[in-house]
Amino acid sequence: MSSHEYQFNVAMSCSGCSGAVNRVLSKLEGVNDIKITLEDQKVVVKTNDNLSYDAVLNQIKKSGKQVRSGEVIA
């Protein structure tokens, strides 16, 4: 099964912020793995083939956090 990996720089100042991002991403069908590094303000999301970068980006925005940048890793 092929997959995608996306990385985002998200404005998060506390564990509550990272928890909010984790919660919205967990609700998105097709997300296989979420790694959030609060210190680096980095969110790495692994998804199945059906989930686009824009779908993940829009889901993160639902948390109310500012997405500073993002890129497709794989």
Side-chain angles (χ1 to χ4, degrees), residues 8-45:
F8 300 90
N9 180 285
V10 181
M12 299 176 289
S13 56
C14 64
S15 60
C17 297
S18 59
V21 172
N22 190 66
R23 274 192 303 280
V24 295
L25 286 172
S26 297
K27 293 177 184 170
L28 193 58
E29 193 174 322
V31 170
N32 299 328
D33 188 48
I34 305 163
K35 285 193 175 54
I36 299 176
T37 311
L38 189 57
E39 296 79 24
D40 298 333
Q41 314 229 326
K42 188 164 73 174
V43 179
V44 178
V45 184

